[in-house]
């Protein structure tokens, strides 16, 4: 059984910073691509950032230069450092992880419960 536990969300003023963490717990054989989606009020769900098993990163245009995704395979954890936050970054952020639970099971995506990020003065 695998669970993704998110933390780090909260209320921050424009221009501030937050760091989101997502730890995968349980039977983790191998982490592959991991990343973050967000759902803002009245907007489409969007991929914020992703990092592959090989370390390649991708960011949405709206967060490039402000957000940084990283991973720690030893801790089975993915991070999202969010700087220069804007009100339009307000959303529920969901982490995901494509992983293998053992050496024979297929690759599967797991999702966190979501964490609220609110950017407001």
């Amino acid at each position: 059984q695998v669970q993704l536990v998110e933390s780090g969300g909260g209320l921050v003023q424009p221009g501030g910073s937050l760091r989101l963490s997502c730890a995968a717990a349980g039977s983790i054989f191998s982490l592959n691509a991991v990343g973050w989606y967000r759902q803002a009020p009245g907007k489409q769900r969007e991929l914020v950032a992703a990092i592959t098993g090989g370390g390649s990163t991708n960011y949405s245009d709206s967060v490039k230069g402000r957000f940084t995704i990283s991973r720690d395979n030893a801790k089975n954890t993915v991070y999202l450092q969010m700087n220069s936050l804007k009100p339009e970054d307000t959303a529920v952020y969901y982490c995901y992880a494509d992983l293998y639970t053992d050496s024979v099971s297929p690759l599967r995506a797991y999702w966190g419960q979501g964490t609220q990020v609110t950017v407001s003065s």
Side-chain angles (χ1 to χ4, degrees), residues 23-71:
S27 299
I28 310 299
F29 180 77
S30 179
L31 276 174
N32 284 264
V34 295
W36 298 86
Y37 280 82
R38 69 184 180 187
Q39 179 72 59
K43 296 183 179 180
Q44 299 292 321
R45 183 184 66 215
E46 68 169 330
L47 177 66
V48 178
I51 183 168
T52 69
S56 299
T57 59
N58 292 285
Y59 298 93
S60 68
D61 290 339
S62 62
V63 307
K64 285 181 179 178
R66 300 188 296 118
F67 291 10
T68 303
I69 188 171
S70 61
R71 61 188 292 169

Side-chain angles (χ1 to χ4, degrees), residues 68-97:
T68 303
I69 188 171
S70 61
R71 61 188 292 169
D72 186 337
N73 287 337
K75 298 180 179 179
N76 292 324
T77 301
V78 59
Y79 305 94
L80 185 67
Q81 179 66 47
M82 305 185 294
N83 299 325
S84 302
L85 283 162
K86 304 175 180 179
E88 52 263 43
D89 294 319
T90 296
V92 178
Y93 286 70
Y94 300 90
C95 69
Y96 75 90

